[in-house]
């Protein structure tokens, strides 16, 4: 069974993260499959809406750490960068259904979704600093904008997780539902959108996003360069080594 499932029905293309045994952590191949699906959906007039979903116990543990260590992203051309560019510039409505942990890119990709439905077990976290890294996906711009600077500092400097109700309060999610219902709710809303005029949806989204699209892409490029640099530094090596060895990282010397 593939780690990414793609399904199209009634004008809705659904991307399902399907690697529960590794907590839906995302490999280069998965980023490529998702970027390809988004690019295909953007240019296919038969697709009006895209939904990204996981499993009712896990949305995503973020980047696959083993994959990261074996071939670190070197900046703008990596599959991860292509995916992030793809979601940031996707022209049609993009929905997500999120249950369980959403770590790193599992949370930051949601900043580029138009509508997000969360199970009440959803736990969002952006622990980039704890990994010796820095934010990606323009989250260093979008998270402070969304939740205010001080709460953003809790999320991005301390790397503290926040739960579905807090995500609802700050506006990261639209609705909190039982985990068994999250994917179904997202599908129902996607169908509702797919029944609307496609060109009006695209134009409305473009108008809402255009004000800061260039800032988002600029921030993403700057973050990508910093992320790639930090990945080669001792703190990240210690953090990832500790994860692989199942121990706590020791940053006292870095
Ligand atoms: N990359 C690679 N493998 C991962 C992974 C990741 N990001 N996240 C989890 N896994 C693996 C674990 O190593 C474990 O493998 P094992 O069965 O061989 O020991 C398996 O998936 C199950 O994970 P586990 O940690 O036991 O599950 P959990 O339910 O206790 O916790 C998480 C789930 C998501 C909270 C936890 O796995 C986690 O914090 N993962 C790391 C997230 C992270 O730092 N991501 C950022 C990457 S940039």
């Amino acid at each position: 069974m593939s780690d990414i499932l793609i399904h199209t029905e009634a004008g809705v293309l659904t991307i399902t993260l399907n690697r529960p045994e590794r907590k839906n952590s995302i490999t280069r191949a998965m980023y490529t499959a998702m970027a390809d699906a988004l690019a295909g959906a953007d240019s296919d007039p038969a697709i009006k809406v895209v939904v990204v979903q996981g499993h009712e116990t896990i949305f995503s543990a973020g980047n696959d750490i083993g994959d990261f260590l074996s071939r670190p992203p070197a900046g703008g051309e990596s599959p991860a960068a292509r995916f992030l560019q793809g979601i940031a510039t996707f022209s049609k409505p993009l929905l997500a259904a999120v249950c369980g942990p959403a770590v790193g890119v599992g949370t930051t990709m949601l900043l580029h979704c138009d509508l997000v439905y969360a199970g009440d077990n959803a736990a969002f976290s952006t622990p980039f600093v704890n990994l010796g890294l820095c934010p990606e996906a323009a989250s260093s711009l979008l998270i402070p904008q969304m939740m205010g600077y001080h709460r953003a500092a809790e999320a991005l400097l301390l790397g503290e997780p926040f739960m579905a109700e807090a995500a609802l309060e700050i506006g990261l999610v639209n609705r909190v539902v039982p985990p068994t219902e999250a994917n179904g709710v997202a599908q129902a809303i996607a169908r509702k959108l797919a029944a609307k005029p496609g060109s009006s949806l695209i134009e409305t989204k473009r108008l809402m996003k255009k004000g800061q699209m260039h800032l988002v892409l600029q921030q993403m490029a700057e973050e990508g360069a910093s992320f790639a640099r930090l990945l080669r530094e001792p703190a990240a090596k210690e953090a990832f080594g500790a994860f692989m060895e199942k121990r706590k990282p020791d940053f006292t010397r870095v």
Side-chain angles (χ1 to χ4, degrees), residues 19 21-23 25 58 60-66 68 101 103-104 127-128 131 133 227 240 243 246:
R19 201 183 177 223
E21 72 289 355
R22 306 304 289 178
K23 300 291 165 183
S25 55
I58 177 77
S60 175
N63 291 301
D64 180 292
I65 290 174
F68 236 49
V103 186
F128 301 109
L131 296 165
L133 298 172
F227 194 99
F240 289 116
F243 180 82
K246 298 190 188 294

PDB file of all heavy atoms in Angstrom, residues 19 21-23 25 58 60-66 68 101 103-104 127-128 131 133 227 240 243 246, ligand 1:
ATOM      1  N   ARG A  19       0.871   6.395   6.302  1.00  0.00           N
ATOM      2  CA  ARG A  19       2.059   5.718   6.801  1.00  0.00           C
ATOM      3  C   ARG A  19       1.981   5.658   8.336  1.00  0.00           C
ATOM      4  O   ARG A  19       2.877   6.140   9.038  1.00  0.00           O
ATOM      5  CB  ARG A  19       3.290   6.520   6.354  1.00  0.00           C
ATOM      6  CG  ARG A  19       4.573   5.750   6.347  1.00  0.00           C
ATOM      7  CD  ARG A  19       5.709   6.674   5.948  1.00  0.00           C
ATOM      8  NE  ARG A  19       6.969   6.023   5.992  1.00  0.00           N
ATOM      9  CZ  ARG A  19       8.080   6.572   6.492  1.00  0.00           C
ATOM     10  NH1 ARG A  19       8.049   7.798   6.994  1.00  0.00           N
ATOM     11  NH2 ARG A  19       9.211   5.915   6.497  1.00  0.00           N
ATOM     12  N   GLU A  21       2.364   3.515  10.576  1.00  0.00           N
ATOM     13  CA  GLU A  21       3.385   2.807  11.372  1.00  0.00           C
ATOM     14  C   GLU A  21       4.595   3.697  11.659  1.00  0.00           C
ATOM     15  O   GLU A  21       5.325   3.469  12.616  1.00  0.00           O
ATOM     16  CB  GLU A  21       3.799   1.488  10.691  1.00  0.00           C
ATOM     17  CG  GLU A  21       4.652   1.583   9.429  1.00  0.00           C
ATOM     18  CD  GLU A  21       3.928   2.106   8.170  1.00  0.00           C
ATOM     19  OE1 GLU A  21       2.702   2.324   8.207  1.00  0.00           O
ATOM     20  OE2 GLU A  21       4.615   2.286   7.135  1.00  0.00           O
ATOM     21  N   ARG A  22       4.797   4.748  10.849  1.00  0.00           N
ATOM     22  CA  ARG A  22       5.852   5.753  11.104  1.00  0.00           C
ATOM     23  C   ARG A  22       5.195   7.090  11.414  1.00  0.00           C
ATOM     24  O   ARG A  22       5.739   8.152  11.150  1.00  0.00           O
ATOM     25  CB  ARG A  22       6.789   5.914   9.896  1.00  0.00           C
ATOM     26  CG  ARG A  22       7.436   4.678   9.369  1.00  0.00           C
ATOM     27  CD  ARG A  22       8.221   3.902  10.386  1.00  0.00           C
ATOM     28  NE  ARG A  22       9.442   4.534  10.798  1.00  0.00           N
ATOM     29  CZ  ARG A  22      10.276   4.040  11.711  1.00  0.00           C
ATOM     30  NH1 ARG A  22       9.975   2.896  12.330  1.00  0.00           N
ATOM     31  NH2 ARG A  22      11.368   4.650  12.023  1.00  0.00           N
ATOM     32  N   LYS A  23       3.994   7.029  11.955  1.00  0.00           N
ATOM     33  CA  LYS A  23       3.257   8.226  12.386  1.00  0.00           C
ATOM     34  C   LYS A  23       3.085   9.248  11.255  1.00  0.00           C
ATOM     35  O   LYS A  23       3.144  10.462  11.467  1.00  0.00           O
ATOM     36  CB  LYS A  23       3.953   8.879  13.596  1.00  0.00           C
ATOM     37  CG  LYS A  23       4.039   7.943  14.803  1.00  0.00           C
ATOM     38  CD  LYS A  23       2.682   7.679  15.401  1.00  0.00           C
ATOM     39  CE  LYS A  23       2.676   6.496  16.359  1.00  0.00           C
ATOM     40  NZ  LYS A  23       1.360   6.183  16.878  1.00  0.00           N
ATOM     41  N   SER A  25       5.035  10.259   9.173  1.00  0.00           N
ATOM     42  CA  SER A  25       6.159  11.155   8.894  1.00  0.00           C
ATOM     43  C   SER A  25       6.391  11.132   7.385  1.00  0.00           C
ATOM     44  O   SER A  25       6.106  10.144   6.704  1.00  0.00           O
ATOM     45  CB  SER A  25       7.398  10.753   9.683  1.00  0.00           C
ATOM     46  OG  SER A  25       7.732   9.415   9.450  1.00  0.00           O
ATOM     47  N   ILE A  58      -3.529  10.009  13.920  1.00  0.00           N
ATOM     48  CA  ILE A  58      -2.292  10.746  13.621  1.00  0.00           C
ATOM     49  C   ILE A  58      -2.460  11.506  12.308  1.00  0.00           C
ATOM     50  O   ILE A  58      -2.872  10.914  11.303  1.00  0.00           O
ATOM     51  CB  ILE A  58      -1.053   9.801  13.550  1.00  0.00           C
ATOM     52  CG1 ILE A  58       0.239  10.541  13.158  1.00  0.00           C
ATOM     53  CG2 ILE A  58      -1.265   8.623  12.600  1.00  0.00           C
ATOM     54  CD1 ILE A  58       0.866  11.342  14.246  1.00  0.00           C
ATOM     55  N   SER A  60       0.331  13.917  11.168  1.00  0.00           N
ATOM     56  CA  SER A  60       1.696  13.709  10.681  1.00  0.00           C
ATOM     57  C   SER A  60       2.719  14.076  11.751  1.00  0.00           C
ATOM     58  O   SER A  60       2.593  15.107  12.415  1.00  0.00           O
ATOM     59  CB  SER A  60       1.972  14.539   9.434  1.00  0.00           C
ATOM     60  OG  SER A  60       3.336  14.406   9.065  1.00  0.00           O
ATOM     61  N   ALA A  61       3.762  13.237  11.863  1.00  0.00           N
ATOM     62  CA  ALA A  61       4.898  13.525  12.761  1.00  0.00           C
ATOM     63  C   ALA A  61       5.934  14.402  12.075  1.00  0.00           C
ATOM     64  O   ALA A  61       7.068  14.498  12.542  1.00  0.00           O
ATOM     65  CB  ALA A  61       5.531  12.226  13.239  1.00  0.00           C
ATOM     66  N   GLY A  62       5.569  15.023  10.958  1.00  0.00           N
ATOM     67  CA  GLY A  62       6.501  15.944  10.294  1.00  0.00           C
ATOM     68  C   GLY A  62       7.462  15.207   9.380  1.00  0.00           C
ATOM     69  O   GLY A  62       7.181  14.105   8.898  1.00  0.00           O
ATOM     70  N   ASN A  63       8.589  15.836   9.154  1.00  0.00           N
ATOM     71  CA  ASN A  63       9.576  15.218   8.256  1.00  0.00           C
ATOM     72  C   ASN A  63      10.031  13.873   8.794  1.00  0.00           C
ATOM     73  O   ASN A  63      10.243  13.734   9.999  1.00  0.00           O
ATOM     74  CB  ASN A  63      10.805  16.120   8.140  1.00  0.00           C
ATOM     75  CG  ASN A  63      10.487  17.389   7.390  1.00  0.00           C
ATOM     76  OD1 ASN A  63      10.061  17.366   6.254  1.00  0.00           O
ATOM     77  ND2 ASN A  63      10.671  18.514   8.051  1.00  0.00           N
ATOM     78  N   ASP A  64      10.225  12.921   7.888  1.00  0.00           N
ATOM     79  CA  ASP A  64      10.819  11.645   8.304  1.00  0.00           C
ATOM     80  C   ASP A  64      12.286  11.905   8.653  1.00  0.00           C
ATOM     81  O   ASP A  64      13.076  12.319   7.797  1.00  0.00           O
ATOM     82  CB  ASP A  64      10.718  10.611   7.177  1.00  0.00           C
ATOM     83  CG  ASP A  64      11.336   9.295   7.602  1.00  0.00           C
ATOM     84  OD1 ASP A  64      12.579   9.254   7.777  1.00  0.00           O
ATOM     85  OD2 ASP A  64      10.597   8.319   7.782  1.00  0.00           O
ATOM     86  N   ILE A  65      12.624  11.660   9.913  1.00  0.00           N
ATOM     87  CA  ILE A  65      13.937  12.072  10.391  1.00  0.00           C
ATOM     88  C   ILE A  65      15.058  11.231   9.769  1.00  0.00           C
ATOM     89  O   ILE A  65      16.105  11.761   9.400  1.00  0.00           O
ATOM     90  CB  ILE A  65      13.957  12.056  11.939  1.00  0.00           C
ATOM     91  CG1 ILE A  65      13.057  13.219  12.424  1.00  0.00           C
ATOM     92  CG2 ILE A  65      15.368  12.200  12.489  1.00  0.00           C
ATOM     93  CD1 ILE A  65      12.822  13.295  13.900  1.00  0.00           C
ATOM     94  N   GLY A  66      14.834   9.949   9.594  1.00  0.00           N
ATOM     95  CA  GLY A  66      15.851   9.095   8.959  1.00  0.00           C
ATOM     96  C   GLY A  66      16.133   9.557   7.532  1.00  0.00           C
ATOM     97  O   GLY A  66      17.282   9.652   7.094  1.00  0.00           O
ATOM     98  N   PHE A  68      15.636  12.500   6.330  1.00  0.00           N
ATOM     99  CA  PHE A  68      16.288  13.795   6.448  1.00  0.00           C
ATOM    100  C   PHE A  68      17.790  13.637   6.629  1.00  0.00           C
ATOM    101  O   PHE A  68      18.581  14.337   6.024  1.00  0.00           O
ATOM    102  CB  PHE A  68      15.740  14.456   7.717  1.00  0.00           C
ATOM    103  CG  PHE A  68      15.144  15.791   7.483  1.00  0.00           C
ATOM    104  CD1 PHE A  68      14.238  15.993   6.465  1.00  0.00           C
ATOM    105  CD2 PHE A  68      15.473  16.846   8.305  1.00  0.00           C
ATOM    106  CE1 PHE A  68      13.677  17.229   6.265  1.00  0.00           C
ATOM    107  CE2 PHE A  68      14.923  18.079   8.119  1.00  0.00           C
ATOM    108  CZ  PHE A  68      14.021  18.273   7.101  1.00  0.00           C
ATOM    109  N   PRO A 101      -1.498  13.935  16.653  1.00  0.00           N
ATOM    110  CA  PRO A 101      -0.376  14.870  16.523  1.00  0.00           C
ATOM    111  C   PRO A 101      -0.209  15.422  15.097  1.00  0.00           C
ATOM    112  O   PRO A 101      -0.366  14.693  14.114  1.00  0.00           O
ATOM    113  CB  PRO A 101       0.844  14.015  16.911  1.00  0.00           C
ATOM    114  CG  PRO A 101       0.283  12.919  17.767  1.00  0.00           C
ATOM    115  CD  PRO A 101      -1.080  12.630  17.211  1.00  0.00           C
ATOM    116  N   VAL A 103       2.857  17.516  13.813  1.00  0.00           N
ATOM    117  CA  VAL A 103       4.156  18.050  14.248  1.00  0.00           C
ATOM    118  C   VAL A 103       4.857  18.722  13.065  1.00  0.00           C
ATOM    119  O   VAL A 103       4.823  18.209  11.945  1.00  0.00           O
ATOM    120  CB  VAL A 103       5.063  16.914  14.799  1.00  0.00           C
ATOM    121  CG1 VAL A 103       6.353  17.490  15.383  1.00  0.00           C
ATOM    122  CG2 VAL A 103       4.335  16.079  15.843  1.00  0.00           C
ATOM    123  N   GLY A 104       5.528  19.842  13.329  1.00  0.00           N
ATOM    124  CA  GLY A 104       6.347  20.492  12.298  1.00  0.00           C
ATOM    125  C   GLY A 104       5.511  20.830  11.077  1.00  0.00           C
ATOM    126  O   GLY A 104       4.507  21.547  11.169  1.00  0.00           O
ATOM    127  N   PRO A 127       8.091  22.313  16.846  1.00  0.00           N
ATOM    128  CA  PRO A 127       9.260  22.246  17.737  1.00  0.00           C
ATOM    129  C   PRO A 127      10.586  22.419  17.008  1.00  0.00           C
ATOM    130  O   PRO A 127      11.562  21.714  17.289  1.00  0.00           O
ATOM    131  CB  PRO A 127       9.132  20.826  18.317  1.00  0.00           C
ATOM    132  CG  PRO A 127       8.560  20.030  17.180  1.00  0.00           C
ATOM    133  CD  PRO A 127       7.658  20.975  16.409  1.00  0.00           C
ATOM    134  N   PHE A 128      10.641  23.390  16.072  1.00  0.00           N
ATOM    135  CA  PHE A 128      11.855  23.528  15.254  1.00  0.00           C
ATOM    136  C   PHE A 128      13.086  23.842  16.103  1.00  0.00           C
ATOM    137  O   PHE A 128      14.158  23.282  15.878  1.00  0.00           O
ATOM    138  CB  PHE A 128      11.642  24.599  14.181  1.00  0.00           C
ATOM    139  CG  PHE A 128      10.489  24.290  13.270  1.00  0.00           C
ATOM    140  CD1 PHE A 128       9.309  25.014  13.317  1.00  0.00           C
ATOM    141  CD2 PHE A 128      10.570  23.235  12.367  1.00  0.00           C
ATOM    142  CE1 PHE A 128       8.241  24.708  12.497  1.00  0.00           C
ATOM    143  CE2 PHE A 128       9.500  22.917  11.534  1.00  0.00           C
ATOM    144  CZ  PHE A 128       8.333  23.662  11.609  1.00  0.00           C
ATOM    145  N   LEU A 131      14.745  21.062  17.768  1.00  0.00           N
ATOM    146  CA  LEU A 131      15.481  20.189  16.838  1.00  0.00           C
ATOM    147  C   LEU A 131      16.704  20.898  16.273  1.00  0.00           C
ATOM    148  O   LEU A 131      17.334  20.406  15.332  1.00  0.00           O
ATOM    149  CB  LEU A 131      14.551  19.773  15.687  1.00  0.00           C
ATOM    150  CG  LEU A 131      13.349  18.914  16.100  1.00  0.00           C
ATOM    151  CD1 LEU A 131      12.314  18.875  14.989  1.00  0.00           C
ATOM    152  CD2 LEU A 131      13.808  17.508  16.459  1.00  0.00           C
ATOM    153  N   LEU A 133      16.610  23.646  14.642  1.00  0.00           N
ATOM    154  CA  LEU A 133      16.247  24.174  13.317  1.00  0.00           C
ATOM    155  C   LEU A 133      15.527  25.512  13.467  1.00  0.00           C
ATOM    156  O   LEU A 133      15.532  26.119  14.535  1.00  0.00           O
ATOM    157  CB  LEU A 133      15.352  23.154  12.592  1.00  0.00           C
ATOM    158  CG  LEU A 133      16.029  21.803  12.320  1.00  0.00           C
ATOM    159  CD1 LEU A 133      15.014  20.803  11.780  1.00  0.00           C
ATOM    160  CD2 LEU A 133      17.181  21.965  11.338  1.00  0.00           C
ATOM    161  N   PHE A 227      17.115  27.009   7.305  1.00  0.00           N
ATOM    162  CA  PHE A 227      16.820  25.628   7.719  1.00  0.00           C
ATOM    163  C   PHE A 227      17.912  24.687   7.208  1.00  0.00           C
ATOM    164  O   PHE A 227      18.449  23.867   7.950  1.00  0.00           O
ATOM    165  CB  PHE A 227      15.453  25.252   7.143  1.00  0.00           C
ATOM    166  CG  PHE A 227      14.803  24.017   7.700  1.00  0.00           C
ATOM    167  CD1 PHE A 227      13.818  24.134   8.675  1.00  0.00           C
ATOM    168  CD2 PHE A 227      15.117  22.753   7.220  1.00  0.00           C
ATOM    169  CE1 PHE A 227      13.176  22.996   9.172  1.00  0.00           C
ATOM    170  CE2 PHE A 227      14.489  21.626   7.715  1.00  0.00           C
ATOM    171  CZ  PHE A 227      13.506  21.746   8.688  1.00  0.00           C
ATOM    172  N   PHE A 240      18.790  15.193  16.139  1.00  0.00           N
ATOM    173  CA  PHE A 240      18.373  14.060  15.313  1.00  0.00           C
ATOM    174  C   PHE A 240      19.044  12.761  15.771  1.00  0.00           C
ATOM    175  O   PHE A 240      18.427  11.696  15.754  1.00  0.00           O
ATOM    176  CB  PHE A 240      18.642  14.343  13.834  1.00  0.00           C
ATOM    177  CG  PHE A 240      17.702  15.380  13.273  1.00  0.00           C
ATOM    178  CD1 PHE A 240      18.156  16.595  12.809  1.00  0.00           C
ATOM    179  CD2 PHE A 240      16.333  15.140  13.234  1.00  0.00           C
ATOM    180  CE1 PHE A 240      17.281  17.561  12.318  1.00  0.00           C
ATOM    181  CE2 PHE A 240      15.442  16.089  12.753  1.00  0.00           C
ATOM    182  CZ  PHE A 240      15.921  17.310  12.289  1.00  0.00           C
ATOM    183  N   PHE A 243      17.108  11.562  18.665  1.00  0.00           N
ATOM    184  CA  PHE A 243      15.833  10.941  18.264  1.00  0.00           C
ATOM    185  C   PHE A 243      16.081   9.507  17.797  1.00  0.00           C
ATOM    186  O   PHE A 243      15.371   8.583  18.199  1.00  0.00           O
ATOM    187  CB  PHE A 243      15.171  11.757  17.142  1.00  0.00           C
ATOM    188  CG  PHE A 243      13.862  11.163  16.681  1.00  0.00           C
ATOM    189  CD1 PHE A 243      12.684  11.408  17.375  1.00  0.00           C
ATOM    190  CD2 PHE A 243      13.812  10.338  15.557  1.00  0.00           C
ATOM    191  CE1 PHE A 243      11.480  10.844  16.960  1.00  0.00           C
ATOM    192  CE2 PHE A 243      12.614   9.766  15.136  1.00  0.00           C
ATOM    193  CZ  PHE A 243      11.450  10.032  15.840  1.00  0.00           C
ATOM    194  N   LYS A 246      16.831   7.284  20.616  1.00  0.00           N
ATOM    195  CA  LYS A 246      15.756   7.300  21.617  1.00  0.00           C
ATOM    196  C   LYS A 246      16.251   7.801  22.979  1.00  0.00           C
ATOM    197  O   LYS A 246      16.081   7.160  24.013  1.00  0.00           O
ATOM    198  CB  LYS A 246      15.099   5.912  21.743  1.00  0.00           C
ATOM    199  CG  LYS A 246      14.421   5.432  20.459  1.00  0.00           C
ATOM    200  CD  LYS A 246      13.589   4.201  20.679  1.00  0.00           C
ATOM    201  CE  LYS A 246      13.076   3.597  19.381  1.00  0.00           C
ATOM    202  NZ  LYS A 246      12.128   4.427  18.643  1.00  0.00           N
TER     203      LYS A 246
HETATM  204  N1  LIG B   1      10.527  10.425  11.483  1.00  0.00           N
HETATM  205  C1  LIG B   1      10.816   9.125  11.448  1.00  0.00           C
HETATM  206  N2  LIG B   1      10.214   8.213  12.250  1.00  0.00           N
HETATM  207  C2  LIG B   1       9.298   8.669  13.113  1.00  0.00           C
HETATM  208  C3  LIG B   1       8.960  10.014  13.204  1.00  0.00           C
HETATM  209  C4  LIG B   1       9.621  10.934  12.348  1.00  0.00           C
HETATM  210  N3  LIG B   1       9.331  12.237  12.345  1.00  0.00           N
HETATM  211  N4  LIG B   1       7.999  10.169  14.164  1.00  0.00           N
HETATM  212  C5  LIG B   1       7.781   8.943  14.662  1.00  0.00           C
HETATM  213  N5  LIG B   1       8.555   8.036  14.031  1.00  0.00           N
HETATM  214  C6  LIG B   1       8.637   6.593  14.301  1.00  0.00           C
HETATM  215  C7  LIG B   1       9.211   6.336  15.682  1.00  0.00           C
HETATM  216  O1  LIG B   1      10.642   6.361  15.643  1.00  0.00           O
HETATM  217  C8  LIG B   1       8.667   4.990  16.001  1.00  0.00           C
HETATM  218  O2  LIG B   1       9.463   4.022  15.352  1.00  0.00           O
HETATM  219  P1  LIG B   1       9.756   2.581  16.063  1.00  0.00           P
HETATM  220  O3  LIG B   1       8.416   1.904  16.105  1.00  0.00           O
HETATM  221  O4  LIG B   1      10.742   1.942  15.131  1.00  0.00           O
HETATM  222  O5  LIG B   1      10.306   2.893  17.420  1.00  0.00           O
HETATM  223  C9  LIG B   1       7.294   4.994  15.316  1.00  0.00           C
HETATM  224  O6  LIG B   1       7.331   6.042  14.352  1.00  0.00           O
HETATM  225  C10 LIG B   1       6.190   5.285  16.301  1.00  0.00           C
HETATM  226  O7  LIG B   1       6.499   6.532  16.947  1.00  0.00           O
HETATM  227  P2  LIG B   1       6.345   6.752  18.528  1.00  0.00           P
HETATM  228  O8  LIG B   1       7.177   7.948  18.904  1.00  0.00           O
HETATM  229  O9  LIG B   1       6.580   5.484  19.246  1.00  0.00           O
HETATM  230  O10 LIG B   1       4.781   7.122  18.607  1.00  0.00           O
HETATM  231  P3  LIG B   1       4.017   7.955  19.727  1.00  0.00           P
HETATM  232  O11 LIG B   1       2.571   7.742  19.454  1.00  0.00           O
HETATM  233  O12 LIG B   1       4.552   7.637  21.095  1.00  0.00           O
HETATM  234  O13 LIG B   1       4.381   9.502  19.435  1.00  0.00           O
HETATM  235  C11 LIG B   1       4.731  11.430  18.022  1.00  0.00           C
HETATM  236  C12 LIG B   1       3.957  10.112  18.223  1.00  0.00           C
HETATM  237  C13 LIG B   1       4.356  11.987  16.666  1.00  0.00           C
HETATM  238  C14 LIG B   1       4.303  12.427  19.117  1.00  0.00           C
HETATM  239  C15 LIG B   1       6.237  11.156  18.153  1.00  0.00           C
HETATM  240  O14 LIG B   1       6.545  10.059  17.305  1.00  0.00           O
HETATM  241  C16 LIG B   1       7.133  12.300  17.758  1.00  0.00           C
HETATM  242  O15 LIG B   1       7.246  13.284  18.489  1.00  0.00           O
HETATM  243  N6  LIG B   1       7.841  12.156  16.615  1.00  0.00           N
HETATM  244  C17 LIG B   1       8.878  13.074  16.193  1.00  0.00           C
HETATM  245  C18 LIG B   1       8.256  14.324  15.625  1.00  0.00           C
HETATM  246  C19 LIG B   1       9.279  15.313  15.187  1.00  0.00           C
HETATM  247  O16 LIG B   1      10.185  15.707  15.888  1.00  0.00           O
HETATM  248  N7  LIG B   1       9.077  15.771  13.948  1.00  0.00           N
HETATM  249  C20 LIG B   1       9.800  16.835  13.359  1.00  0.00           C
HETATM  250  C21 LIG B   1      10.688  16.353  12.270  1.00  0.00           C
HETATM  251  S1  LIG B   1      11.498  17.744  11.478  1.00  0.00           S
END
